Amino acid sequence: MQALPGLRLVTRLPRWGKAAPARDAARRAWCSAAEREDKAGGAGAQGQQPPPFDPRLLEILACPLSKKPLRYEESTNELINEELGIAYPITDGIPNMIPQAARMIGKEKREEEPGQT
């Protein structure tokens, strides 16, 4: 193997400044806190209820498809659009307002109504 003139091997060594011990201590503290949370059950513990939905959000939230107000259904933990017959799920207290995540509801009711009139 022949060496090329003007080519040198450059290595990059990590910079160990004054902040390295503090950074390492913070990293160790974070890891130990995560381990304690896992041992205690963490976010996935059974019997732990998700954070509640704040009904004050209904004042500012609207259906992204029809731009109409939504209704909160506590039993299913969903935001309901009666006009379109869709329900948006609420996960960990946060409404998922993506139309693809919504499910269709009330289809049977709308099919029965036209036959009655």
Side-chain angles (χ1 to χ4, degrees):
M1 185 170 203
Q2 192 175 19
L4 297 174
L7 185 65
R8 17 177 227 164
L9 179 63
V10 178
T11 60
R12 196 166 206 195
L13 297 174
R15 295 183 198 178
W16 299 103
K18 293 179 182 178
R23 182 190 66 225
D24 292 341
R27 190 176 291 154
R28 280 192 299 275
W30 183 83
C31 290
S32 63
E35 286 176 6
R36 282 193 303 272
E37 184 178 318
D38 286 343
K39 289 178 184 175
Q46 292 179 353
Q48 190 177 29
Q49 293 187 353
F53 175 72
D54 188 1
R56 294 179 294 176
L57 286 175
L58 291 174
E59 297 173 10
I60 58 173
L61 289 177
C63 177
L65 298 174
S66 68
K67 311 299 187 251
K68 302 286 182 181
L70 299 166
R71 175 180 60 85
Y72 175 59
E73 182 62 43
E74 189 173 357
S75 62
T76 58
N77 200 30
E78 295 175 323
L79 295 177
I80 310 292
N81 181 333
E82 297 287 342
E83 184 179 295
L84 296 179
I86 57 176
Y88 296 100
I90 298 174
T91 308
D92 295 330
I94 302 169
N96 185 349
M97 304 294 289
I98 300 172
Q100 291 83 1
R103 68 177 183 91
M104 297 299 292
I105 60 166
K107 206 173 193 180
E108 301 83 25
K109 293 179 186 176
R110 283 190 274 154
E111 288 176 0
E112 291 174 7
E113 289 176 6
Q116 294 176 355
T117 56

